[in-house]
Amino acid sequence: MARADGSLWAKDPSVVRFQGCYLMYFTLPPTEPGTERDLCVGIAESHDLRSWELVGRLGPGGDYDAQGLAAPGAVVIGNVLHLFYQSYGTGPRDSICHATSTDGVTFERNATNPVFRPQGEWNCGRAIDADVIVDGDRLLLAYATRDPEMREQIVGVAEASLDSGFGKDAWRDLSLDAPALRPELDWEGECIEAPAFVRAGGDPSGPLVMFYAGAYNNKPQQIGWATSEDGVTWTRGVTEPFLPNGAPGTWNSSESGHPGVLTDDDGRTYLFFQGNDTSGRTNLLAGVEIVWTDGRPALRAG
């Protein structure tokens, strides 16, 4: 999508299959040039994962997200699409909010919004970049936060019962004593963010895998992955970027960041991400297919 100044800009993709089509939820740019306020969530539809049409927008729903909303994470449970997104623009007070839809375009907000902020002395209380996955009778939520000094971006995990309604009182923070992941590798810099859940091999009973973005935007941001048996303790699967930024002169030379993962009805897995070659003045969205061998992902050749 285009900013007010005409530059192309879209970020933070999350894709699901719902009611016979693919729906992508992503961050849309501000309407006024030169500002980061008034971000909203865009909704695009596709029937082939290649051509997309903007079919809706989700704007502020209350005082809690009046300055903007961003970084959506979607999941389909039964006949309902659940969207988790962050409020934007309030620094350490940014929180995770929840809305539901029966058509994928029009949403009803959770009356208890915002529904989640992390606890524990290791973080600042901020919660952004939500992603969720059904795990038995619970919904796992991964979130990004920062340390108390707001310097280092880190990831935690929470859970709620599937029959809870996912309101403010439904969530139990599983990362009370320490983060699930924090930057440790050189290429991750001071940032682990944008967690994206998937089951290895596209199998609903397969091991949990979390793709994540390492390093702050355009530093360059690149994508890694980790795995877990319980959703709480995570082990990196790679020490080098799984999906690196592009070579100089390519469209994603500044970054390949903020992953989102789709497991299609046939079990095939697709990784969506943002990239640019302008140090963030523009941003485009792309997708690649992932193939699995013994629970380990690889990018499909070509």
Side-chain angles (χ1 to χ4, degrees), residues 153-172:
Q153 199 101 304
I154 37 189
V155 166
V157 177
E159 68 174 4
S161 172
L162 278 185
D163 61 5
S164 67
F166 311 132
K168 182 178 296 185
D169 296 330
W171 295 97
R172 184 168 76 95

Side-chain angles (χ1 to χ4, degrees), residues 158-211:
E159 68 174 4
S161 172
L162 278 185
D163 61 5
S164 67
F166 311 132
K168 182 178 296 185
D169 296 330
W171 295 97
R172 184 168 76 95
D173 197 340
L174 300 177
S175 300
L176 285 177
D177 298 326
L181 279 177
R182 73 185 322 147
E184 297 176 356
L185 304 175
D186 287 345
W187 67 269
E188 295 169 348
E190 294 183 318
C191 174
I192 294 286
E193 66 179 13
F197 283 131
V198 69
R199 293 285 183 179
D203 182 350
S205 62
L208 279 168
V209 172
M210 179 197 294
F211 289 93

Side-chain angles (χ1 to χ4, degrees), residues 248-268:
T250 60
W251 74 274
N252 60 335
S253 58
S254 290
E255 73 169 7
S256 295
H258 203 111
V261 187
L262 164 71
T263 300
D264 208 346
D265 291 348
D266 59 4
R268 295 170 72 176

Side-chain angles (χ1 to χ4, degrees), residues 84-87 93-98 112-119 123 125-128 130 141-145 156-159 166-175:
F84 294 84
Y85 64 90
Q86 69 170 86
S87 61
R93 297 189 303 278
D94 287 341
S95 307
I96 302 303
C97 305
H98 172 236
T112 70
N113 274 339
V115 298
F116 181 79
R117 288 169 55 88
Q119 303 173 38
N123 68 76
R126 186 189 198 209
I128 63 171
L141 179 147
Y143 60 90
T145 184
V157 177
E159 68 174 4
F166 311 132
K168 182 178 296 185
D169 296 330
W171 295 97
R172 184 168 76 95
D173 197 340
L174 300 177
S175 300

Side-chain angles (χ1 to χ4, degrees), residues 10-19 21-28 40-45 52 54-58 70-76 80-85 99-107 130-131 258-260 272 285:
K11 298 181 70 173
D12 314 327
S14 177
V15 179
V16 295
R17 190 173 179 91
F18 188 57
Q19 296 184 352
C21 69
Y22 301 102
L23 291 172
M24 177 187 290
Y25 300 88
F26 60 100
T27 305
L28 271 174
C40 67
V41 170
I43 308 166
E45 179 182 295
W52 295 88
L54 186 69
V55 294
R57 301 170 187 258
L58 182 67
V75 66
V76 176
V80 178
L81 190 144
H82 295 259
L83 192 69
F84 294 84
Y85 64 90
T100 57
S101 177
T102 55
D103 63 7
V105 178
T106 56
F107 282 86
D131 195 59
H258 203 111
F272 295 86
L285 302 180

